[in-house]
Amino acid sequence: MSRVGASNLLLPAGGAADEDLAIFNINQPLELQKYPKRSVSRTLAELLMHVEGANASGNSTPVADHHDHRVLDITYACSSLPASYPFVLSFENLTYSVKIPQKLTLPFCGKSSVDNSPEKILLNGISGEAREGEIMAVLGASGSGKSTLIDALADRISKESLRGSVTLNGEILESRLLKVISAYVMQDDLLFPMLTVEETLMFSAEFRLPRSLSKKKKKGRVQALIDQLGLRNAAKTVIGDEGHRGVSGGERRRVSIGIDIIHDPILLFLDEPTSGLDSTSAFMVVKVLQRIALSGSIVIMSIHQPSYRILNLLDRLIFLSHGNTVFGGSPSNLPEFFSEFGNPIPENENRTEFALDLIRELEETPVGTKNLVDFNRSWQSRNNPQKNHHHNQSNRANTKTVSLRDAISASVSRGKLVSGATTSDSNLTPSFPTFANPFWIEMIVIAKRSIKNSKRMPELFGIRLGAVVVTGFILATMFWHLDNSPKGVQERLGFFAFAMSTTFYTCAEAIPVFLQERYIFMRETAYNAYRRSSYVLAQSIISFPALIVLSLSFAAITFSAVGLAGGFSGFVFFFFIILASFWAGSSFVTFLSGVVSHVMLGFTVVVAILAYFLLFSGFFISRDRIPMYWIWFHYISLVKYPYEGILQNEFADPNKCFVRGVQLFDNTPLGNFPVSTKLELLKSMSGVLGFNVTSTTCVTTGSDILTQQGITDISKWNCLWILVAWGFFFRILFYFTLLLGSKNRRR
């Protein structure tokens, strides 16, 4: 059967449909009913462009009708298409090993400290090829090297560690180009739980498809892909998670595949796409992969133990055992191969199950699978060269005059790789853009997706707002209308220290937010769905409105109730300093979430560091009395700046008195003496001091309190700006942690 365009287009009922068209039955969306023989496979993207032109010429019928539609493959003259150059991905002698960690001994113990750790070979000279229109499956027991081989082909192993070559149509694949023309589907389904299937695919389309493609075309692409994946009945259902019921496991897996094929990649890598699925769901997933291959893609996947039905959908197999190839070729060659090896496959037994069971039995023997590996080498040299000699010669004749870039350009011109943009320029960059959209488009899409996902889980923000409101209420009632006595001053200092530190602690909820999205982010950025800078900017912007609400709520509850000074201008600064604290705190916690990889570890680190910030803020010990070897920590303390700023906002008025006459003896052992005794003491002090001190004489002003606390070097507005700058600094650090820590490559 020749390659066909398995991508689909939704047309309204009543549209003309030729009998020779390939039609997917809407009631059985995973069965191919009829295929005409064609020499050129057509992608879904070019069909959309074809119909868009038809609509523009006078057909006002919408491309997709959700309620009444058919799935059609539109035929048209093949002579209008550019020449098609089939892709062949070849890999030779792929070898990859890692060192097994060993304890290092010290020289003075009588042994060398040189690390002579033994190496474990994960891939040992693996060779083969995968062709356009086919599915190549990598099989083997756990630990055989299946995922490692997929990672090697997908450029997810460092070039310094991997030996051998991977070529496409005979040319070495550059990492940047591979990211543009390929997609990688991880074993885990990494999806936003509160988005529907349709929304998830639509956001992927907005990331992957270029801005030049109309909104109508993108929606048409998503609707066609939903039918291609057999997800029509689940289109309006949320993905779901442990706490929210959503789609089934097989549907989740197909959605995971869909978000990576929305741009119709030339190469598709999948790491065990059927893992954890029942036999029917697994068959449906592989059936979808067959359609993708038939639309003009190379599909390479690892699979643990395929059923008989799945085996019939696979075109090439590679069996691995401890990093060695024990079989490579068509599934139809399995009986002949094992028969010649001396272990014929029984007639009624699943060929792959028999092969895997035999490999496991051999692995448990003293010599392992060495005999089978050697037999495979001799069998390949006896059979494959003769069988494929003429075919390989034909491929070389077709491709020797056509560069890889020209072949990709021809494929893009026909609609493959929707994010591509062909030009006549010979420069690779404009022909194959690294990203489909400018950064500001990416920011808008990221923000829209985050907001929509958050709106469907309002309890997350509600809990945080509730914590801030409850904390503010408790502080307001505990420090109700503080007076201007010495005790009132001490109580104000305690209120400010607790309020500012609580502001930072409530930001700790940002830790699980990114950790939950971490692997989604890594998957999407690994193959250039969007820039890391776009993600950081978008997340910073969308988090700010929530910080404003939290800051205003806390300030409104506590300012008047506690009796803070400054009037309206004082309230405005109080609000700004709390907002800046929330901003700096959330930025700091977001940065830490990019460094740590576990929620509990993140909470432990955040709580500990915030405790240190409070210790060195100047509340427990003033700046003048902090040891010189710790003074640097005082200046990097995030609590220092809001604490000093809020104290200056409260005590900056030089005309406001906080200690008068006999109040001088408060908080001392003399405070319990009668007032008459205190007045006599004041008279005695007046004689010694040389000026009269009465019961109404102001002894301590606000400026004196600031001096006592060591707050004299930075103004309150500078404290505010420094706090804001800390927030931006941690966001920049967060960007660099994403840039350096999300390469998603093995070493």
Side-chain angles (χ1 to χ4, degrees):
M1 182 176 66
S2 63
R3 293 181 292 106
V4 295
S7 300
N8 313 309
L9 179 67
L10 303 181
L11 289 180
D18 188 88
E19 292 182 356
D20 290 334
L21 301 180
I23 302 178
F24 295 116
N25 190 334
I26 194 64
N27 297 320
Q28 297 177 343
L30 292 174
E31 297 297 330
L32 294 172
Q33 292 186 342
K34 187 176 182 181
Y35 282 107
K37 291 186 177 181
R38 294 197 294 269
S39 61
V40 180
S41 64
R42 292 188 297 282
T43 64
L44 180 89
E46 68 186 359
L47 298 179
L48 288 173
M49 292 189 288
H50 179 72
V51 172
E52 181 76 7
N55 289 340
S57 64
N59 183 7
S60 60
T61 306
V63 174
D65 184 344
H66 295 190
H67 303 290
D68 189 12
H69 62 271
R70 302 177 188 174
V71 186
L72 300 178
D73 188 4
I74 307 301
T75 60
Y76 52 91
C78 292
S79 60
S80 64
L81 293 172
S84 175
Y85 306 104
F87 293 101
V88 179
L89 182 74
S90 302
F91 47 98
E92 296 183 3
N93 298 321
L94 293 182
T95 303
Y96 173 57
S97 60
V98 294
K99 285 189 175 182
I100 301 175
Q102 298 288 320
K103 292 183 178 180
L104 298 180
T105 57
L106 299 176
F108 54 78
C109 294
K111 296 182 181 180
S112 173
S113 62
V114 178
D115 185 4
N116 294 317
S117 302
E119 288 190 343
K120 180 179 180 181
I121 298 176
L122 302 182
L123 296 178
N124 187 18
I126 307 296
S127 300
E129 67 177 21
R131 298 178 179 276
E132 176 185 332
E134 296 181 350
I135 300 178
M136 187 184 82
V138 185
L139 296 89
S142 298
S144 61
K146 301 189 299 296
S147 298
T148 305
L149 178 57
I150 298 294
D151 286 346
L153 298 177
D155 192 34
R156 291 162 62 90
I157 297 179
S158 174
K159 296 292 187 184
E160 295 78 17
S161 303
L162 180 68
R163 297 189 296 275
S165 64
V166 180
T167 61
L168 185 62
N169 285 14
E171 296 186 23
I172 299 294
L173 264 176
E174 296 180 359
S175 297
R176 187 182 64 82
L177 179 59
L178 179 63
K179 288 184 177 183
V180 175
I181 67 173
S182 67
Y184 186 100
V185 180
M186 296 182 181
Q187 185 173 346
D188 298 324
D189 298 321
L190 306 172
L191 305 167
F192 285 93
M194 299 313 296
L195 298 180
T196 66
V197 169
E198 186 176 22
E199 290 169 344
T200 301
L201 294 175
M202 192 63 206
F203 280 120
S204 180
E206 292 188 25
F207 283 130
R208 291 286 192 176
L209 305 185
R211 184 167 53 123
S212 57
L213 208 62
S214 67
K215 189 79 170 179
K216 187 177 182 180
K217 279 186 177 180
K218 291 179 182 178
K219 289 182 178 179
R221 170 67 170 137
V222 168
Q223 295 303 323
L225 187 59
I226 286 174
D227 281 291
Q228 185 185 17
L229 297 171
L231 294 170
R232 174 57 54 192
N233 294 332
K236 301 295 183 181
T237 306
V238 297
I239 300 299
D241 57 10
E242 296 82 358
H244 303 84
R245 185 176 179 84
V247 297
S248 67
E251 290 167 337
R252 284 174 62 93
R253 186 58 48 86
R254 279 176 273 159
V255 174
S256 296
I257 296 172
I259 59 179
D260 284 311
I261 66 168
I262 194 75
H263 62 306
D264 215 359
I266 294 172
L267 295 170
L268 178 60
F269 305 99
L270 305 100
D271 186 11
E272 297 203 20
T274 61
S275 176
L277 302 180
D278 59 77
S279 60
T280 301
S281 298
F283 173 75
M284 295 171 70
V285 167
V286 179
K287 192 72 175 177
V288 168
L289 296 179
Q290 185 189 51
R291 293 189 199 164
I292 296 169
L294 292 172
S295 70
S297 296
I298 298 175
V299 177
I300 304 174
M301 70 175 187
S302 60
I303 188 169
H304 186 65
Q305 195 163 350
S307 64
Y308 180 81
R309 291 192 300 169
I310 291 178
L311 183 63
N312 291 333
L313 302 178
L314 306 179
D315 300 287
R316 292 174 183 264
L317 303 179
I318 293 181
F319 281 86
L320 298 180
S321 174
H322 297 310
N324 295 284
T325 304
V326 294
F327 173 80
S330 170
S332 60
N333 293 333
L334 279 171
E336 177 186 356
F337 176 84
F338 283 101
S339 178
E340 293 185 18
F341 182 66
N343 294 83
I345 301 176
E347 291 185 4
N348 298 325
E349 189 161 350
N350 185 308
R351 288 169 286 175
T352 56
E353 289 183 0
F354 175 87
L356 291 170
D357 291 342
L358 177 62
I359 293 170
R360 288 193 190 97
E361 291 177 6
L362 293 175
E363 288 176 345
E364 295 175 358
T365 62
V367 295
T369 56
K370 181 180 183 301
N371 294 335
L372 186 57
V373 172
D374 294 339
F375 175 77
N376 174 67
R377 291 197 188 102
S378 62
W379 191 85
Q380 296 288 346
S381 62
R382 287 198 318 269
N383 293 274
N384 287 351
Q386 290 78 7
K387 290 183 179 180
N388 296 326
H389 177 69
H390 298 294
H391 183 74
N392 292 337
Q393 278 188 334
S394 176
N395 277 343
R396 285 194 291 269
N398 290 335
T399 60
K400 66 181 181 179
T401 59
V402 179
S403 68
L404 176 60
R405 178 188 172 279
D406 291 335
I408 296 175
S409 296
S411 183
V412 171
S413 297
R414 293 176 45 250
K416 198 72 178 173
L417 196 64
V418 183
S419 62
T422 57
T423 67
S424 58
D425 192 347
S426 61
N427 186 0
L428 185 66
T429 302
S431 299
F432 309 108
T434 304
F435 298 95
N437 295 286
F439 80 95
W440 59 272
I441 292 289
E442 296 171 351
M443 287 176 56
I444 293 174
V445 178
I446 294 171
K448 283 169 55 181
R449 183 176 65 176
S450 297
I451 292 172
K452 180 166 288 189
N453 193 60
S454 299
K455 284 172 64 177
R456 291 178 181 167
M457 292 189 291
E459 63 273 11
L460 297 181
F461 177 73
I463 292 174
R464 189 179 182 190
L465 178 61
V468 170
V469 170
V470 169
T471 302
F473 176 77
I474 293 175
L475 290 176
T477 52
M478 282 290 293
F479 296 93
W480 182 262
H481 287 176
L482 298 179
D483 55 27
N484 293 331
S485 66
K487 288 186 178 180
V489 171
Q490 292 299 319
E491 290 167 353
R492 275 178 167 80
L493 297 178
F495 167 76
F496 293 142
F498 188 86
M500 294 302 102
S501 59
T502 302
T503 301
F504 285 97
Y505 277 112
T506 54
C507 295
E509 61 84 29
I511 293 177
V513 172
F514 176 71
L515 290 180
Q516 290 173 353
E517 297 182 13
R518 183 187 189 94
Y519 294 103
I520 298 178
F521 166 84
M522 292 175 66
R523 183 203 67 207
E524 292 176 333
T525 55
Y527 289 86
N528 298 349
Y530 49 80
R531 298 166 179 82
R532 293 171 177 83
S533 56
S534 302
Y535 180 85
V536 173
L537 289 172
Q539 293 296 336
S540 301
I541 293 172
I542 64 173
S543 67
F544 206 72
L547 302 183
I548 294 176
V549 174
L550 296 175
S551 304
L552 189 59
S553 300
F554 186 83
I557 293 172
T558 58
F559 187 83
S560 298
V562 176
L564 302 183
F568 179 73
S569 61
F571 172 80
V572 170
F573 182 83
F574 184 65
F575 162 71
F576 280 146
I577 204 72
I578 293 175
L579 178 59
S581 299
F582 273 119
W583 162 249
S586 64
S587 299
F588 170 71
V589 173
T590 301
F591 159 65
L592 283 183
S593 69
V595 176
V596 300
S597 58
H598 193 273
V599 173
M600 293 309 299
L601 177 61
F603 277 119
T604 302
V605 173
V606 167
V607 170
I609 294 179
L610 290 179
Y612 300 149
F613 284 164
L614 178 60
L615 175 63
F616 290 97
S617 64
F619 170 69
F620 293 103
I621 182 171
S622 65
R623 175 173 57 88
D624 298 335
R625 296 182 62 81
I626 295 177
M628 289 304 298
Y629 48 83
W630 282 120
I631 196 66
W632 60 272
F633 210 123
H634 171 72
Y635 284 100
I636 68 170
S637 170
L638 293 183
V639 181
K640 161 189 167 65
Y641 300 100
Y643 177 68
E644 292 189 1
I646 210 73
L647 283 185
Q648 292 183 65
N649 190 55
E650 182 69 16
F651 298 114
D653 187 357
N655 298 320
K656 191 170 184 179
C657 187
F658 290 90
V659 179
R660 292 183 180 274
V662 294
Q663 290 179 333
L664 179 64
F665 303 109
D666 292 354
N667 299 326
T668 70
L670 300 176
N672 295 326
F673 281 31
V675 176
S676 58
T677 305
K678 295 177 183 178
L679 291 175
E680 290 295 329
L681 289 173
L682 288 179
K683 289 181 180 180
S684 301
M685 291 173 58
S686 299
V688 175
L689 296 174
F691 62 89
N692 190 29
V693 180
T694 66
S695 60
T696 59
T697 301
C698 183
V699 179
T700 304
T701 64
S703 300
D704 298 326
I705 294 175
L706 295 178
T707 303
Q708 293 171 6
Q709 296 296 317
I711 302 172
T712 57
D713 55 342
I714 305 175
S715 69
K716 70 175 186 179
W717 288 105
N718 284 339
C719 289
L720 176 65
W721 298 127
I722 291 174
L723 200 56
V724 172
W726 271 118
F728 282 106
F729 175 71
F730 283 120
R731 294 286 173 173
I732 294 172
L733 288 183
F734 178 55
Y735 166 74
F736 282 108
T737 59
L738 299 185
L739 189 65
L740 301 175
S742 61
K743 297 296 184 182
N744 208 18
R745 276 191 173 188
R746 301 194 194 188
R747 294 292 178 185

